[in-house]
Amino acid sequence: MCRFETIIDKADSQMQVVYTMSWFLLSTAWVLCALAIETCCAASNISCSLPRESIAGNLSNPGDIVIGGTFPVHLDRVYNDLSFTNKPAELQCQRFSIERYQLMHALIFAVEEINGDPELLPNITLGFQIFDTCTTLRRAAQGTLSMLSGGTEITPNYHCSKGTTLAGVVGDSGSTRSILMAQILGLYRYPLVSYLSSIAALSNRDLFPSFFRTIPSDDFQMRGLAHLVLHYGWTWIGLLVSDNDYGQFGLQMVKQEIINGGACVAFAENIMTGQPNRNAPHLVQVIRDSTAKVVVVISSHSDFVIVVEELQRQNVTGNIWIASEAWATSISLRDKRFQMILVGTIGFAIHGGKMSEFTKYFSSLHISKHFDILIKEFWEEAFSCKWPNTKLADNATTNGCTGNEKLENLYSEETYRIPLNVYTAIYAVAWALHGFLCTPRIGPLKYAKCPNVSSFRPWHIFHYIKYVNFMTKDGIQVSFDANGNPPAVYDIVNWHVSGKGTLEQVTVGSYDLNAPDRKTLTVDEDKHVWANNGTEVPLSKCSPSCTSGFRKVIVPGKPSCCYECAPCPQGQISNQTDAVECHPCSWDTWPNLQQDRCLPRTAEFLSYEESLGYNLSAISIFSSLIPLFILGVFIHHKKTPIVRANNYSLSCLLLLSLFLCFLCSLAFIGYPQPEKCLLRQVAFGMVFALCISCVLAKTITVVIAFNATKPGSRLRKWTGVRVAYCIVGICSLIQLCVSITRLIFSPSFPKVDTDTKPGIIIVYCTEGSPTAFWCMLGYLGLLATISFIVAFFARRLPDRFNEAKFITFSMLAFLSVWVSFIPAYLSARGMYTVAMEVFAIVSSSWAVVGCIFVPKCFIVLLRPNLNTREPLKIKANVLK
């Protein structure tokens, strides 16, 4: 008899959630299909079922309640071309997996252990029904529908097994297969507890309401993989993913996390699971050509091993492989031949634990005691032997299996990962059954007495499995959150070479989102081994690191990680590697040559300690002594004609002003202090105005003196010294007014210039008002020009004691110096501006001294015979 399985039980309608429209349509289609089959059966009076197909690799054991299980014990299948014109050939599996066979026995061990536990499900015997999915959707669908039908035939919506109740299913390892199974089992609320399906989409309670798992969601793992990549500073990453749901969902998440972390993806390629060679030649070529040395692989080990074999064939080594949990602890990839390729691999592994009793159980398996349809294949794979009558490939030679081989010598693992997930999944279903059958009611499921085995429905177990919280015999806590996920904890494993020459996975850290100190990622760097057994973290960058003093410049059209290194702009530094931008130094500091730190700027001014300042000050002091010396000569010879004829008192005043002119240049040398800045331009303007005024007065006096000797001249009354002193006083007074106005309205003050010379602070005195400064120089130039013109026209007068010619030359030299000073002053920078001004002061003062007074001193000191009235009279008679 077949019992009709309704999708929604009215007696427990309060336990159901509102279906989304998609589920309503799917459910409706399923019911209509079932009714059509039932109608067809009634009309034809024959048994109804889907077309039969033998399902190899199934294993079952009866019990009061049955737990289903699906395991891809074979990792591949024989590929046949699909013509869609006839029925596809029956599926033929190949590539036996010892790891998956071990998972299958973890289920059997857990069931046997529960049956032997008097406290868990007392008086109830658990059975199991196991299917080898052969990593195909076809087998996964067949196994799921067969478990729902309760027999070897598949009859949708009917359960045809007497006295056997299905509590739930543990499976599958592949996310794509689990999605298919969860969609079917979710219609009836049968719990599906996966031990290895990790894609985040399965946490969607609207689409997969009865799905649970004992492995954390990829939502956590992919964030962790990206976190691991960024932890080591890798910024140029390759991605290799399966073309199924597990790989594609993982690709989207890890790629986004890597980009958000500032790294870049060099390539993202798919492992084509539908092709026998998995597109490995193309993938290896991409890996070989890429500059990325770190490759994240999100794939099952059964698919990736084909790529690794191709890497070995093409001798591609030196890469760092980042493993997802699906292959991070793979046994098949530990082979010695993969050592040079995979050594240094680091990845996320399912958190492991102890299963001491399971180790004894699995090591005790023997073909004579535990006969199942797969144990012969397992024996051949484990001991690399063949049973008699086994067909061998052409030219193949191998040892024969005797049955005397010992598993204890092969399998003695202390830490289990995926088998532990299977083990806890079985216990989760068992504790849910125990909660329903033997404990007080939880929530709305309340009964007057404990229900019996025949009275429960799948959604009863679904309700109780949500609340399971137990600890295994080996001390592992098991529970599920609202989305059916366990606590997110991963081990970080690093692949080392063992003493036997094979690869082994060594735990070097953990990734725990519930860590008490919020330090989710912990890694022991000292335990790390990298490619070629190196101990230093390898680099994986699109561009070399920019050292201190440089900044990254993005290259247009390339990812942000592919950049060029450009020196920091002038005045800026970068003191870290791969700086995005440089930072300016403070105003009083400047970068060193490497532009990686700021140093105090050098203050520049015309200092006495500088050779230039020292020499100029020495010249100024020495030069100032010359007018004093000449003044002494004039005082000593003041009675002589040549001294008296050239206005002795005015000459003395001129010499004193020249003495001050030489000394005023010292105010321009030294650190620019406020007092110096205020006085030096005023002093310069006043002493030079006094000097040129004296020259102008002497010139005018000469002209008046010679013209006053003419008969009837009215200039006789202007021949006294009063006119000269008035000229000097008036001309000096005008300059004094200009200077006082400048001091009041636009005084000079110290200032620093940090822009003109890189790395140097130029300390200088401002000129105050530029207009006032140039007016001062212009006034001096005007006085000198007038003196020059007057002296030029007076040069033909009797010249024994006539100094008009000398004044002409002196003013010509004076004007030449200051006209040349203007462009030099405007073009000079820093202390050289001040040096030019000092040079102009000294040079122009020497022009006056040299042209006016040196000839007189020559006559007074060296030609005293000419310093008499007789030569003058002779010259006067000649002119008559």
Side-chain angles (χ1 to χ4, degrees), residues 391-551:
K391 184 179 180 181
L392 300 177
D394 295 340
N395 301 323
T397 59
T398 184
N399 298 325
C401 298
T402 63
N404 296 323
E405 296 83 3
K406 301 294 184 181
L407 284 174
E408 293 91 340
N409 300 330
L410 294 178
Y411 300 101
S412 58
E413 293 189 34
E414 296 181 0
T415 301
Y416 289 91
R417 302 183 188 278
I418 307 177
L420 183 61
N421 281 4
V422 177
Y423 179 80
T424 54
I426 295 297
Y427 265 88
V429 176
W431 277 108
L433 279 168
H434 187 82
F436 171 70
L437 296 172
C438 308
T439 60
R441 308 280 64 81
I442 298 176
L445 295 181
K446 296 180 179 179
Y447 297 91
K449 58 181 181 178
C450 287
N452 55 36
V453 173
S454 62
S455 64
F456 85 88
R457 293 290 181 266
W459 46 83
H460 296 156
I461 309 303
F462 162 67
H463 174 74
Y464 278 90
I465 202 171
K466 292 190 294 185
Y467 301 103
V468 295
N469 192 337
F470 63 93
M471 185 175 290
T472 65
K473 292 181 179 180
D474 292 298
I476 298 170
Q477 193 70 33
V478 181
S479 62
F480 300 107
D481 64 14
N483 295 320
N485 298 313
V489 182
Y490 294 93
D491 291 337
I492 298 176
V493 295
N494 185 218
W495 290 37
H496 295 197
V497 178
S498 67
K500 299 178 181 179
T502 59
L503 292 167
E504 63 178 353
Q505 292 96 14
V506 177
T507 301
V508 296
S510 65
Y511 183 76
D512 185 359
L513 290 180
N514 299 316
D517 56 355
R518 295 188 178 181
K519 191 175 181 181
T520 56
L521 181 67
T522 57
V523 181
D524 187 350
E525 307 285 353
D526 295 334
K527 292 183 179 180
H528 272 300
V529 170
W530 300 107
N532 302 321
N533 289 315
T535 55
E536 293 187 2
V537 179
L539 298 177
S540 183
K541 294 188 173 185
C542 180
S543 301
S545 295
C546 293
T547 58
S548 299
F550 290 81
R551 61 187 174 91

Side-chain angles (χ1 to χ4, degrees), residues 252-456:
Q252 294 175 22
M253 287 186 285
V254 77
K255 183 177 181 180
Q256 189 60 49
E257 290 293 331
I258 286 174
I259 293 173
N260 291 344
C264 301
V265 175
F267 62 85
E269 295 290 333
N270 290 327
I271 299 174
M272 310 302 290
T273 57
Q275 298 180 12
N277 67 353
R278 303 302 193 271
N279 199 29
H282 168 72
L283 300 178
V284 173
Q285 188 62 40
V286 171
I287 294 169
R288 182 195 292 273
D289 295 341
S290 176
T291 56
K293 296 302 179 184
V294 175
V295 183
V296 179
V297 181
I298 305 171
S299 171
S300 67
H301 70 94
S302 59
D303 292 323
F304 184 54
V305 70
I306 298 176
V307 179
V308 176
E309 288 172 347
E310 184 65 26
L311 288 167
Q312 181 196 16
R313 209 164 11 251
Q314 297 191 29
N315 193 28
V316 178
T317 60
N319 293 93
I320 296 298
W321 303 95
I322 308 300
S324 66
E325 39 71 32
W327 68 275
T329 55
S330 170
I331 295 175
S332 60
L333 288 170
R334 296 182 190 176
D335 197 290
K336 188 175 182 179
R337 60 197 172 111
F338 301 143
Q339 175 182 324
M340 294 303 297
I341 299 169
L342 296 180
V343 66
T345 294
I346 187 170
F348 274 33
I350 298 166
H351 184 57
K354 303 293 183 180
M355 293 179 65
S356 53
E357 294 300 322
F358 178 67
T359 301
K360 298 177 184 178
Y361 164 83
F362 195 72
S363 298
S364 66
L365 289 180
H366 196 273
I367 193 167
S368 62
K369 301 177 184 177
H370 302 83
F371 181 77
D372 62 58
I373 59 174
L374 298 172
I375 195 168
K376 278 193 172 184
E377 283 188 81
F378 163 68
W379 209 265
E380 290 179 344
E381 190 72 21
F383 297 104
S384 301
C385 63
K386 290 293 182 181
W387 293 103
N389 302 323
T390 302
K391 184 179 180 181
L392 300 177
D394 295 340
N395 301 323
T397 59
T398 184
N399 298 325
C401 298
T402 63
N404 296 323
E405 296 83 3
K406 301 294 184 181
L407 284 174
E408 293 91 340
N409 300 330
L410 294 178
Y411 300 101
S412 58
E413 293 189 34
E414 296 181 0
T415 301
Y416 289 91
R417 302 183 188 278
I418 307 177
L420 183 61
N421 281 4
V422 177
Y423 179 80
T424 54
I426 295 297
Y427 265 88
V429 176
W431 277 108
L433 279 168
H434 187 82
F436 171 70
L437 296 172
C438 308
T439 60
R441 308 280 64 81
I442 298 176
L445 295 181
K446 296 180 179 179
Y447 297 91
K449 58 181 181 178
C450 287
N452 55 36
V453 173
S454 62
S455 64
F456 85 88

Side-chain angles (χ1 to χ4, degrees), residues 668-851:
F668 291 83
I669 303 173
Y671 190 85
Q673 297 174 342
E675 299 80 8
K676 278 189 175 182
C677 292
L678 286 172
L679 296 177
R680 71 182 190 179
Q681 293 292 352
V682 174
F684 162 68
M686 288 304 302
V687 297
F688 264 81
L690 177 62
C691 176
I692 304 303
S693 299
C694 291
V695 173
L696 178 61
K698 285 174 70 68
T699 307
I700 293 175
T701 300
V702 170
V703 173
I704 292 174
F706 279 98
N707 287 319
T709 59
K710 296 179 181 179
S713 174
R714 296 180 180 180
L715 295 177
R716 290 176 181 267
K717 60 181 180 180
W718 299 100
T719 56
V721 294
R722 292 180 181 179
V723 175
Y725 289 149
C726 286
I727 293 172
V728 172
I730 293 171
C731 293
S732 299
L733 182 63
I734 294 173
Q735 183 68 288
L736 179 62
C737 292
V738 173
S739 298
I740 292 174
T741 304
R742 183 181 177 190
L743 283 176
I744 295 174
F745 295 103
S746 182
S748 179
F749 56 89
K751 190 176 181 180
V752 294
D753 178 7
T754 60
D755 299 325
T756 301
K757 289 188 176 182
I760 294 176
I761 299 177
I762 300 175
V763 187
Y764 67 102
C765 290
T766 63
E767 303 301 345
S769 169
T771 303
F773 174 73
W774 292 110
C775 283
M776 178 192 70
L777 289 182
Y779 179 68
L780 295 177
L782 176 65
L783 292 179
T785 303
I786 294 173
S787 298
F788 170 74
I789 293 172
V790 174
F792 178 79
F793 286 112
R795 72 189 187 282
R796 298 268 182 200
L797 296 175
D799 60 355
R800 176 60 61 187
F801 298 107
N802 179 16
E803 57 185 351
K805 186 182 295 184
F806 301 114
I807 293 174
T808 302
F809 284 115
S810 68
M811 290 300 99
L812 181 62
F814 183 90
L815 288 172
S816 299
V817 169
W818 284 104
V819 169
S820 302
F821 162 78
I822 293 174
Y825 177 83
L826 295 176
S827 61
R829 293 291 182 269
M831 66 178 182
Y832 298 103
T833 302
V834 181
M836 288 301 303
E837 199 164 356
V838 172
F839 179 77
I841 292 172
V842 174
S843 300
S844 59
S845 299
W846 265 110
V848 176
V849 171
C851 293

Side-chain angles (χ1 to χ4, degrees), residues 562-603:
C562 300
Y563 50 81
E564 293 179 351
C565 296
C568 287
Q570 183 174 279
Q572 298 185 10
I573 66 163
S574 67
N575 53 9
Q576 61 184 11
T577 304
D578 287 336
V580 177
E581 59 182 13
C582 301
H583 304 284
C585 291
S586 59
W587 72 272
D588 59 342
T589 60
W590 190 256
N592 59 353
L593 291 176
Q594 293 76 27
Q595 289 187 274
D596 57 1
R597 60 194 178 101
C598 294
L599 301 176
R601 291 197 194 212
T602 302

